[in-house]
């Protein structure tokens, strides 16, 4: 019994051991066959997995689709750490998306916000099927990027580099709104376009402190400073807006800007409170506008042109085969001012600086765009010619319309003005000359192509002239500026306080102080002198100084400010009853003389008429030549001389006449002729008068005394004969004109004879 119990106990133990052994064998086998047990999750993680995806939709339209190779979810939060991230951000219509790629990123699922501290690549505007082969898209590279899915906005404050379909660029800090398709480059924006095939590979270069790109509107906003350049042309300013068309430049607007075209040793720069520049399909500038304190400066080796005004409109042209356009026309408005400074020539003085001002001016440029070809005011204008040589005159021209044409080198060729034309010429400083003022309806001028100085000036229709006290009018005038000579044409008239002259034409030679009047010349001269002053020398010395002296001729010529005058062609000087007439009359005021030749007729007042006291009695002297000297108040007549007085005529070879002192003749009302001496075959004839028989006399010399009304005959064998009274001869015969008295004197040893005719 006892042995049986131990046997059962042994079997039980063996059975238990077998079971235990089998269990351990089974456990060991199972352990070998079971998968490896994963490690415990870190305490800060909630989960860890591969192949993460996430999406967000608005109705049936996808907004965002995201995927990553793997993720780690932060414990007790909605944050995921993603690797090899790819975000698709769809536009409003869902027909394109922006792709964001990064090696590592943190995603806040609750706030739908992605942040990548490392490198990020963004590709904009991809089609739903993905990138197309050969197609370039906007590609942005940056780091520190945050994407807000709710706002569809990507942003960073770090450096950004991007590639464009037609260029590249960079900035510091950027923000992109995929819904509004707006890109904001926060600072140091720098864009460089692709080489332009139509412009020889030139690239568009845009820089700004801050840039906003509106893709839908094809518009770029630049601030607070900006620069848009392509080749030699560009525009700089503060706040600017760039408009694109099909990705190419269309228009640039800027505030406080400056545009420029700098190349080949020349510059064109324009500025204003607001600038606008437009571009054509070939990328060349077509036109531009500068408004508010507008300014354009064009400079080259030929000189500098400066244009200012309230507004400047510029038109550009693209010459055949050229890569860049050039300035062709500028319209300047609102107090327009154009200053033309010509470069100094190798030899000689610098040409005048010209300044044109008007409310509206059109400026046409020569080919090349840096030199003026034509200036034209479209309103009343003013042109100043400012000398750069102290010896030259300053000229100021005003008119309702002005225009000027220029040749190569900014040198003026011609100038035109119409309606209310006024030209003022101011003499060089330090001279005693008076300003010259002219007026007319029309004006044109030509300039010397070598010196740029005015050559000839022509004014016509209602012409007027003033220089100090001297004034003039005419149908027109031509000025030879270098020779300082003026030709007055058609009904010319010149006057000053001393007198007036009219003629068909007149020439004033200011340089030589020479004056010529031709064709139906008339002149009136009045001596101008202070009361009590001595009589001035002049032709009036033969006449009364307190009365005007008149003249007519076919030609009048004077020198030295009328100090010497010549009248030719039926010339005549007269004053009331006194006159000198001849083919030629010469007056020398310095020598105080007057000369005449060719059918000379001299009429002198010889007292008062016996019957009519208001009527002067005159003496007329005819001769071939006459010479008068005011020093001794002597007039000398030669050649076929004839003196005619009342009923008396005296013929002789020559005659010498002496005039009374001017004051004496005027105060006493006496004859201006004091006495006269005739010489050479003197023949005197007196016509009959009521109660007086005619007389005739002959001698070599005859003296006539006006005050005593007596005649003295001597020389040769003087004789006198009177009808009905006989005759007389003697060495000297004296007879009186008023009462017929006769005195006969003989020489020693020579008898005097008288013959009386007895009445029957």
């Amino acid at each position: 019994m006892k042995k049986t119990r131990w046997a059962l106990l042994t079997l039980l133990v063996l059975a238990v051991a077998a079971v235990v052994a089998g269990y351990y064998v089974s456990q060991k086998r199972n352990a070998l066959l079971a998968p490896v047990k994963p490690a415990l999750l870190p305490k800060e993680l909630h989960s860890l997995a591969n192949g993460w995806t996430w999406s967000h939709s608005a109705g049936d339209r996808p907004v965002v689709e995201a995927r990553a190779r793997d993720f780690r979810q932060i414990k007790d939060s909605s944050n995921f750490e993603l690797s090899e991230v790819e975000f698709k951000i769809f536009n409003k219509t869902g027909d394109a998306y922006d792709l964001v790629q990064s090696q590592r990123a943190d995603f806040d699922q609750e706030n739908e916000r992605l942040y990548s501290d490392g490198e990020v690549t963004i590709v904009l505007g991809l089609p739903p099927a993905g990138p197309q082969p050969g197609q370039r898209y906007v590609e942005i590279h940056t780091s520190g990027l945050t994407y807000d899915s709710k706002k569809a906005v990507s942003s960073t404050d770090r450096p950004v580099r991007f590639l464009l379909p037609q260029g590249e660029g960079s900035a510091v800090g950027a923000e992109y709104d995929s819904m509004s398709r707006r890109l904001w480059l926060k600072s140091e924006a720098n864009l460089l376009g692709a080489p332009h095939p139509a412009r020889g590979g030139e690239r568009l270069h845009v820089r700004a402190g801050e840039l906003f790109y509106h893709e839908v509107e094809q518009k770029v906003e630049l601030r607070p400073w900006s620069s848009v350049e392509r080749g030699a042309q560009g525009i700089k300013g503060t706040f600017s807006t760039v408009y694109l068309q099909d990705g190419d430049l269309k228009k640039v607007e800027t505030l406080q800007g400056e545009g420029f075209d700098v190349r080949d040793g020349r510059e064109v720069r324009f500025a204003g409170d607001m600038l606008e520049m437009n571009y054509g399909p070939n990328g060349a500038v077509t036109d531009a506008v500068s408004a508010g304190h507008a300014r354009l400066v064009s400079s080259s080796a030929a000189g500098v042109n400066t244009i200012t005004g309230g507004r400047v409109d510029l038109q550009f042209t693209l010459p055949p085969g050229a890569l860049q356009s050039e300035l062709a026309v500028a319209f300047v408005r609102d107090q327009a001012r154009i200053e033309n400074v010509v470069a100094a020539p190798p030899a000689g003085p610098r040409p005048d600086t010209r300044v044109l001002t008007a409310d509206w001016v059109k400026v046409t440029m020569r080919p090349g765009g840096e030199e003026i070809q034509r200036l034209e005011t479209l309103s009343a204008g003013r042109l100043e010619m400012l000398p750069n040589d102290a010896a030259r005159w300053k000229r100021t021209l005003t008119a309702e319309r002005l225009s000027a044409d220029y040749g190569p080198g900014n040198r003026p060729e011609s100038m035109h003005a119409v309606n209310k034309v006024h030209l003022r010429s101011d003499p060089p400083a330090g001279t005693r000359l008076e300003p010259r003022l002219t007026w007319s309806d029309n004006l044109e001028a030509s300039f010397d192509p070598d010196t740029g100085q005015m050559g000839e000036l022509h004014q016509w229709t209602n012409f007027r002239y003033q220089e100090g006290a001297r004034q003039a009018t005419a149908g027109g005038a031509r000025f030879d500026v270098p020779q300082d000579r003026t030709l007055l044409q058609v009904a010319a008239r010149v006057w000053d306080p001393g007198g007036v002259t009219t003629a068909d034409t007149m020439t004033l030679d200011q340089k030589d102080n020479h004056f010529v009047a031709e064709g139906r010349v008339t002149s009136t001269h009045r001596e101008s002198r202070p009361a009590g002053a001595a009589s001035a020398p002049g032709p009036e010395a033969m006449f009364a100084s307190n009365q005007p002296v008149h003249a007519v001729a076919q030609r009048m010529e004077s020198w030295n400010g009328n100090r010497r005058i010549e009248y030719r062609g039926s010339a005549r000087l007269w004053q009331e009853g006194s006159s000198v007439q001849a083919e030629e009359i010469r007056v020398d005021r310095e020598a105080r003389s007057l000369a005449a030749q060719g059918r000379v007729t001299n009429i002198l007042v010889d007292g008062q008429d016996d019957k009519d006291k208001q009527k002067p009695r005159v003496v007329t002297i005819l001769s071939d030549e006459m010479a008068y000297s005011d020093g001794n108040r002597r007039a000398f007549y030669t050649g076929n001389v004839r003196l005619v007085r009342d009923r008396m005529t005296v013929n002789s070879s020559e005659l010498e006449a002496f005039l009374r002192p001017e004051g004496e003749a005027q105060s006493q009302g006496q004859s201006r002729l004091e006495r006269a001496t005739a010489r050479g075959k003197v023949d005197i004839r007196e016509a009959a008068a009521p109660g007086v028989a005619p007389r005739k006399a002959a001698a070599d010399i005859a003296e006539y005394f006006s005050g005593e009304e007596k005649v003295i005959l001597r020389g040769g064998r003087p004789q006198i004969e009177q009808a009905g009274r006989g005759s007389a001869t003697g060495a000297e015969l004296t007879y009186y004109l008023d009462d017929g008295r006769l005195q006969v004197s003989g020489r020693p040893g020579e008898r005097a004879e008288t013959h009386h005719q007895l009445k029957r």
Side-chain angles (χ1 to χ4, degrees):
M1 186 68 182
K2 185 175 181 181
K3 290 181 178 180
T4 302
R5 186 173 59 244
W6 283 102
L8 290 174
L9 182 59
T10 300
L11 289 173
L12 180 59
V13 171
L14 290 173
V16 172
V19 172
V20 173
Y23 171 78
Y24 279 109
V25 171
S26 176
Q27 286 292 95
K28 186 175 182 180
R29 184 178 68 248
N30 289 338
L32 293 173
L33 295 175
V36 178
K37 184 178 181 179
L40 294 176
L41 287 171
K43 294 180 180 181
E44 70 275 10
L45 296 183
H46 181 271
S47 62
L48 183 65
N50 296 324
W52 178 84
T53 61
W54 176 82
S55 65
H56 172 67
S57 299
D60 59 351
R61 179 179 62 81
V63 176
V64 179
E65 291 181 0
R67 68 181 67 250
R69 185 177 61 83
D70 51 43
F71 74 93
R72 292 160 45 132
Q73 184 177 16
I74 306 301
K75 191 174 184 178
D76 298 329
S77 74
S78 60
N79 290 344
F80 292 85
E81 294 180 354
L82 309 176
S83 61
E84 298 185 18
V85 184
E86 184 177 280
F87 265 64
K88 291 183 179 180
I89 307 168
F90 292 88
N91 62 11
K92 293 180 180 180
T93 59
D95 59 356
Y97 67 91
D98 300 330
L99 178 63
V100 180
Q101 296 175 320
S102 177
Q103 287 297 315
R104 295 187 61 82
D106 294 328
F107 180 66
D108 183 345
Q109 186 171 358
E110 180 180 353
N111 294 310
E112 299 181 8
R113 183 177 296 164
L114 175 76
Y115 174 76
S116 175
D117 188 62
E119 290 292 325
V120 178
T121 299
I122 304 175
V123 183
L124 306 179
L126 293 172
Q132 301 299 306
Q135 180 70 38
R136 293 190 61 179
Y137 301 92
V138 177
E139 186 175 322
I140 302 173
H141 299 270
T142 187
S143 63
L145 178 73
T146 297
Y147 171 69
D148 189 328
S149 176
K150 292 181 179 180
K151 297 180 180 179
V153 173
S154 304
S155 64
T156 181
D157 292 326
R158 297 183 184 178
V160 179
R161 180 175 58 87
F162 45 89
L163 301 176
L164 306 172
Q166 296 180 340
E168 57 189 289
S170 64
V172 176
E175 180 178 291
Y176 180 67
D177 187 332
S178 61
M179 300 306 292
S180 64
R181 313 296 291 179
R182 189 190 73 166
L183 174 64
W184 172 27
L185 302 181
K186 298 180 179 180
S187 64
E188 300 181 30
N190 192 341
L191 283 75
L192 189 63
H196 199 295
R199 298 180 59 80
E202 291 180 346
R203 307 179 73 177
L204 177 66
H205 194 183
V206 179
R207 292 174 293 165
E210 189 177 5
L211 181 149
F212 293 88
Y213 171 52
H214 303 271
E215 183 179 357
V216 176
E217 295 92 340
Q218 288 282 281
K219 182 174 69 174
V220 180
E221 295 178 345
L222 310 172
R223 65 182 66 168
W225 61 270
S226 60
S227 173
V228 180
E229 302 178 34
R230 177 153 28 195
Q233 297 175 329
I235 184 170
K236 297 178 180 180
T238 55
F239 291 82
S240 299
T241 302
V242 179
Y243 297 89
L244 305 174
Q245 186 173 25
D246 299 328
D248 203 359
L249 191 58
K250 179 182 179 182
K251 180 171 67 173
V252 178
E253 296 176 347
T254 187
L255 300 179
Q256 304 300 324
E258 178 191 64
F260 57 88
D261 183 353
V262 182
R263 49 185 158 147
D264 303 331
R266 62 180 179 82
E267 294 185 6
V268 177
R269 297 184 179 273
F270 56 97
D273 296 342
M274 188 283 291
L275 291 185
E276 176 184 313
M277 186 178 290
N278 296 292
Y279 298 81
N282 54 7
V285 178
T286 59
D287 58 271
V289 176
S290 173
H293 301 94
R295 179 182 179 87
L296 184 147
V297 180
S298 172
S299 58
S300 67
V304 179
N305 300 307
T306 303
I307 299 173
T308 59
R311 176 187 174 101
V312 177
D313 291 81
L314 307 176
Q315 297 177 359
F316 292 78
T317 185
L318 185 64
L323 299 178
Q324 298 189 55
S325 58
E326 56 191 34
L327 180 61
V329 178
F331 290 93
V332 191
R333 307 184 189 188
D334 302 332
Q335 298 181 347
R337 183 181 188 274
I338 294 90
E339 180 183 84
N340 170 229
V341 179
V342 182
R350 182 194 297 271
D352 295 345
T353 295
R354 292 168 178 81
V355 179
L356 176 65
T357 55
D359 192 58
W360 191 359
V361 179
K362 178 182 178 181
V363 184
T364 303
M365 307 300 290
R366 294 186 63 80
E370 75 276 10
E371 295 182 8
I372 292 176
Q373 183 176 45
R374 181 177 174 82
L375 293 176
E376 180 180 0
T377 70
L378 304 180
S379 63
R382 173 189 179 96
L383 177 62
E384 294 180 89
M385 289 160 274
L386 309 176
N388 292 304
D389 182 350
R392 289 203 295 258
W393 289 62
K394 172 189 173 183
R395 292 183 170 83
T396 303
L397 173 65
T398 60
E400 288 191 351
R401 292 292 186 274
L402 290 171
S403 64
D405 294 294
Y406 290 76
N410 271 330
R411 295 188 180 275
E413 288 184 335
S414 62
M415 180 173 64
H416 308 268
V418 295
N419 297 336
K420 297 183 179 179
V421 178
H422 174 42
L423 177 64
R424 178 186 176 99
S425 301
D426 290 294
T431 67
R432 304 179 66 179
L433 300 174
E434 297 281 354
R436 296 173 187 167
L437 312 177
T438 61
W439 296 264
S440 64
D441 291 347
N442 302 278
L443 176 148
E444 64 180 12
S446 60
F447 294 82
D448 188 306
D450 296 326
T451 65
Q453 297 305 308
M454 188 182 294
E456 184 180 74
L457 175 68
H458 181 201
Q459 289 184 254
W460 68 97
T461 311
N462 297 319
F463 174 80
R464 290 190 298 129
Y465 174 96
Q466 181 176 339
E467 182 178 1
R470 174 188 280 183
Q471 300 185 61
T473 61
R478 291 185 179 274
F479 299 85
D480 184 339
V481 178
Q483 298 301 321
D484 205 5
R485 184 182 298 124
T486 303
L487 172 63
L488 304 180
Q489 301 171 301
V490 186
R493 184 172 186 266
V494 176
W495 72 94
D496 58 27
V500 58
T501 300
T502 66
D504 291 342
T505 64
M506 296 184 190
T507 301
L508 288 71
D509 191 337
Q510 283 92 342
K511 180 181 290 187
D512 295 333
N513 207 355
H514 182 206
F515 171 82
V516 177
E518 295 183 285
R520 296 180 292 182
V521 180
T522 69
S523 175
T524 299
H525 179 80
R526 180 189 296 272
E527 181 183 355
S528 178
R529 56 190 173 96
S535 174
E540 65 274 10
M542 178 170 278
F543 307 100
S545 62
N546 61 347
Q547 298 294 326
V549 177
H550 308 280
V552 294
Q554 288 301 308
R555 176 185 173 91
M556 171 185 173
E557 192 169 0
S558 72
W559 295 263
N560 194 25
N562 284 341
R563 309 308 291 174
R564 186 161 62 91
I565 307 173
E566 288 186 2
Y567 300 90
R568 297 182 181 180
S570 302
R572 181 170 178 254
L573 296 179
W574 78 93
Q575 180 191 76
E576 293 185 341
S578 301
S579 67
V580 177
Q581 182 173 334
E583 287 301 308
E584 181 177 328
I585 301 174
R586 298 184 302 276
V587 177
D588 190 332
R589 292 184 172 181
E590 296 294 340
R592 301 173 63 113
S593 65
L594 181 150
Q597 63 183 33
R599 295 184 294 178
V600 178
T601 300
N602 183 201
I603 299 176
L604 299 174
V605 175
D606 191 31
Q608 300 171 339
D609 187 87
D610 294 335
K611 297 181 179 180
D612 186 354
K613 300 302 182 179
Q614 301 300 319
K615 181 180 179 181
R617 187 171 58 192
V618 299
V619 172
T620 301
I621 304 173
L622 296 86
S623 64
D624 292 338
E625 296 185 3
M626 167 194 171
Y628 171 77
S629 174
D630 194 56
N632 53 16
R633 302 186 66 78
R634 170 182 174 272
F636 191 69
Y637 306 84
T638 58
N640 300 308
V641 180
R642 175 178 294 182
L643 182 151
V644 179
R645 175 192 178 279
D646 281 347
R647 298 175 293 110
M648 182 179 70
T649 300
V650 180
N651 295 305
S652 63
S653 298
E654 61 183 43
L655 177 72
E656 188 175 19
F658 295 88
L659 304 185
R660 293 183 185 277
E662 180 182 349
E664 178 181 328
Q666 290 180 353
S667 62
Q668 299 179 18
Q670 296 179 350
S671 168
R672 292 185 59 80
L673 179 63
E674 182 179 48
R675 59 190 175 92
T677 301
R679 297 184 179 88
K681 298 181 180 180
V682 177
D683 178 75
I684 302 176
R685 303 293 175 101
E686 284 188 78
V692 180
R695 278 188 293 193
K696 62 180 180 179
D700 286 345
I701 300 174
E703 290 186 274
Y704 165 67
F705 296 86
S706 173
E708 301 175 74
E709 289 287 301
K710 88 178 169 180
V711 177
I712 300 176
L713 304 175
R714 62 177 183 272
R717 187 169 178 81
Q719 61 180 357
I720 186 170
E721 180 179 345
Q722 185 174 21
R725 298 187 63 180
S727 64
T729 62
E732 183 177 282
L733 302 178
T734 302
Y735 70 94
Y736 295 84
L737 300 176
D738 53 353
D739 58 11
R741 288 180 297 155
L742 173 65
Q743 295 179 358
V744 181
S745 301
R747 296 189 186 93
E750 182 178 344
R751 297 173 59 189
E753 299 181 4
T754 60
H755 301 271
H756 296 278
Q757 185 173 352
L758 300 177
K759 294 182 179 180
R760 296 173 181 259

